[in-house]
Amino acid sequence: MCNITFSQNKHNFLLGGGLGFRYTSDNSSLESYNSHHNQEYLLQVNPAAGYFITKNLVVGIGVEYSYDKTNYINYVYYSYRENGFSLAPFVRLYTPFGLFIHGEFDYGNSKSLLNGRPIPGTTGFSTTSARYDYNKVIRFSTGIGYRIKVNEVLGIEPSIRYISSKFNEKDPKNDFSRKGLLIDIGMVYFIK
C-alpha cells in the first residue's frame, strides 16, 4: 500500500525514469504541402539522474528514447514511424505536499520511415514508400506531477506534460513541429 508524502526529506541524488504515452488526432500542415489529418501514437522511455541543489530543487540529465507512429488520412504518405534518441537536461521542483513541477529540454536525432501510397502516372504507378529521413530533434516540455511515497527513498510519480517538438530536416522547407500532452508514469529512487 502506498502512502502519500507531505514532506521531502533531505536527499542528495535522484535516480529514476519514466514511461510516457501520447495519442493525438489532429490536422497539421507542412510548409511544403497542404494540410492533412493524422493520428499519432507516441511512446517514450526516459531514465534520468539528478542532483538536489536545494532541499526541493533537482537538476539533472536524462536519456530519452521515443517511438512515434503516425497514420495519415488523405495524404500521399499513409504511415510514418520514427525512432529517436536525445539527451534531456531537466529541472524539477518538489513542493512539501507531494506535487512537483518539471521542465525539460531535449536535443537529439531521429530516424524516420515514411510509407507512401502508389501515385498514378502516365506510365503506371510510382511509389513513395521507404523514404528515410534523419532529423535533428529539439523538444521542450513542462508539466506537473505528484509523488506517491512507497517508502522513504522510493516513489511513484504520475505526471502530465505539455511537449513541443521541432524536427529539422536537411531541406528546411520540410521542417515540421508537433505539440501535445504526454501522460507519464515514473519511479524515482532518492539517495542520501
Side-chain angles (χ1 to χ4, degrees), residues 76-145:
V76 67
Y77 297 107
Y78 64 84
S79 73
Y80 168 87
R81 285 181 311 200
E82 174 202 341
N83 290 291
F85 284 95
S86 59
L87 288 177
F90 70 90
V91 62
R92 182 177 292 176
L93 176 65
Y94 286 94
T95 64
F97 45 90
L99 286 175
F100 64 86
I101 300 168
H102 181 93
E104 183 175 297
F105 169 79
D106 297 18
Y107 183 80
N109 291 299
S110 69
K111 178 182 174 184
S112 59
L113 169 64
L114 289 164
N115 291 313
R117 302 179 194 285
I119 299 173
T122 56
T123 59
F125 286 91
S126 61
T127 183
T128 55
S129 290
R131 183 180 135 197
Y132 290 94
D133 290 321
Y134 297 90
N135 305 312
K136 295 220 181 293
V137 180
I138 299 170
R139 181 177 295 125
F140 298 95
S141 71
T142 186
I144 189 166

